[in-house]
Amino acid sequence: AQKLSEEIDRGEVSVTVLDRSEHHYYQPGFLLVSMGVMEPKETSLPEREVLDRRVKLISGDKGTMTKISVGDRQVTTADGTNHKYDLLVLATGSHIQMDEIPGYAQGAETFFSLEGAKKMQKAVQSFTGGDLVVDVALLPHKCPVAPLEITLMLDDFFRKKGLRDKVNIHYCYPIQGVFGIPNVNKMMLGLFESRGINVHTQFTLASVDASNKKIVSKEGNELKYDLLVGVPPHKGAQVIADSGLGDRRNWVPTDKLTLKLKDHDDVYVMG
């Protein structure tokens, strides 16, 4: 809108945002909420205030996408309206699946939603010792570095409280190492070792036994916990599946160099 301000003012171009919500949420702030560093109210603003004045915002049912027809260059919303486009930018996001793993919703705390972060803050604040497990259930997920961040923040938090010697921190990751980028993985492995954080690699979460407080991996390993902080499975938006655009987990095939939907020059995929 800023780059095309003159064209918009002359009526030659229009920029429209379709969004079911009227609020913009700063999702990285949820991690800070879970640690008591940020207030929940600080994580959102009315979307109209965030957007350039030249952008048209359509929200509620009128902004909830139900079908994307790339062949017809149109998006259908829940109120039945078809919105024609010349260029489409998809930013339908990734969405946590708390019910995908048996026992997960009952046993795990998570900071990947605002309500989850508020609940997790209470659990962290009241934790006085035992096995604290940070588990990444499945790749990929939003904010790849977040599990590393929360692990180090928890380590720091309990050091400052004088409880670190009573808290045994474990980090479980579904592939070899603790992060997918080799040089970051090497650095973080050294940092975790220096901080006394136990690493469990190739631990693919299969179930959570909330009653007995243990997690079980697909590889057949078990780990006891007193507090479980989880990065839940993620999937792309349902509208992607309903439109036949994604894979089995609703991720959109995207050219990493251009961010275009593969085989389409008029659709960009931003996340």
Side-chain angles (χ1 to χ4, degrees), residues 159-198:
R159 286 180 189 276
K160 288 179 177 177
K161 285 191 74 174
L163 293 173
R164 185 61 180 88
D165 60 332
K166 295 182 174 61
V167 178
N168 196 19
I169 300 178
H170 302 265
Y171 185 91
C172 300
Y173 203 60
I175 62 175
Q176 188 65 40
V178 295
F179 198 69
I181 300 174
N183 59 340
V184 177
N185 178 61
K186 181 179 179 180
M187 181 188 72
M188 294 306 300
L189 279 170
L191 187 56
F192 276 19
E193 183 179 2
S194 71
R195 294 201 163 231
I197 296 168
N198 304 286

Side-chain angles (χ1 to χ4, degrees), residues 4 10 58 70 76 94 176 192 230:
L4 297 170
R10 290 197 299 264
I58 302 176
V70 294
T76 304
S94 59
Q176 188 65 40
F192 276 19

Side-chain angles (χ1 to χ4, degrees), residues 12-226:
E12 299 169 359
V13 174
S14 64
V15 179
T16 301
V17 170
L18 301 174
D19 196 334
R20 62 184 177 184
S21 175
E22 294 182 353
H23 280 78
H24 170 77
Y25 288 90
Y26 177 67
Q27 295 184 56
F30 298 168
L31 182 149
L32 301 178
V33 169
S34 74
M35 295 302 298
V37 178
M38 195 173 189
E39 292 294 327
K41 64 182 180 181
E42 295 180 277
T43 64
S44 72
L45 284 171
E47 190 155 359
R48 183 66 269 171
E49 292 182 15
V50 179
L51 291 172
D52 187 285
R53 63 174 178 80
R54 302 174 185 87
V55 176
K56 182 180 180 181
L57 173 64
I58 302 176
S59 57
D61 283 348
K62 294 181 179 180
T64 301
M65 295 177 289
T66 56
K67 184 74 177 293
I68 301 163
S69 303
V70 294
D72 298 327
R73 286 188 170 183
Q74 71 178 22
V75 176
T76 304
T77 47
D79 65 340
T81 302
N82 292 323
H83 301 265
K84 290 286 187 178
Y85 66 82
D86 295 298
L87 285 175
L88 176 65
V89 177
L90 287 176
T92 48
S94 59
H95 305 267
I96 61 174
Q97 308 295 308
M98 294 294 288
D99 296 326
E100 186 170 316
I101 295 174
Y104 197 94
Q106 296 75 33
E109 305 290 342
T110 188
F111 54 90
F112 274 83
S113 70
L114 184 55
E115 289 306 310
K118 290 191 288 187
K119 181 172 173 284
M120 178 178 155
Q121 183 193 358
K122 295 178 181 178
V124 170
Q125 293 288 343
S126 62
F127 192 68
T128 57
D131 288 304
L132 194 165
V133 176
V134 178
D135 177 85
V136 179
L138 188 68
L139 300 175
H141 55 78
K142 285 186 279 194
C143 192
V145 77
L148 302 175
E149 290 179 306
I150 197 67
T151 303
L152 292 174
M153 289 182 77
L154 287 162
D155 172 75
D156 186 61
F157 176 80
F158 289 111
R159 286 180 189 276
K160 288 179 177 177
K161 285 191 74 174
L163 293 173
R164 185 61 180 88
D165 60 332
K166 295 182 174 61
V167 178
N168 196 19
I169 300 178
H170 302 265
Y171 185 91
C172 300
Y173 203 60
I175 62 175
Q176 188 65 40
V178 295
F179 198 69
I181 300 174
N183 59 340
V184 177
N185 178 61
K186 181 179 179 180
M187 181 188 72
M188 294 306 300
L189 279 170
L191 187 56
F192 276 19
E193 183 179 2
S194 71
R195 294 201 163 231
I197 296 168
N198 304 286
V199 173
H200 306 263
T201 65
Q202 295 178 311
F203 190 103
T204 309
L205 188 64
S207 63
V208 177
D209 185 343
S211 299
N212 296 306
K213 289 198 169 185
K214 68 178 180 179
I215 57 176
V216 180
S217 76
K218 291 181 179 179
E219 294 80 10
N221 298 312
E222 296 184 357
L223 187 63
K224 297 282 287 183
Y225 70 85
D226 295 292

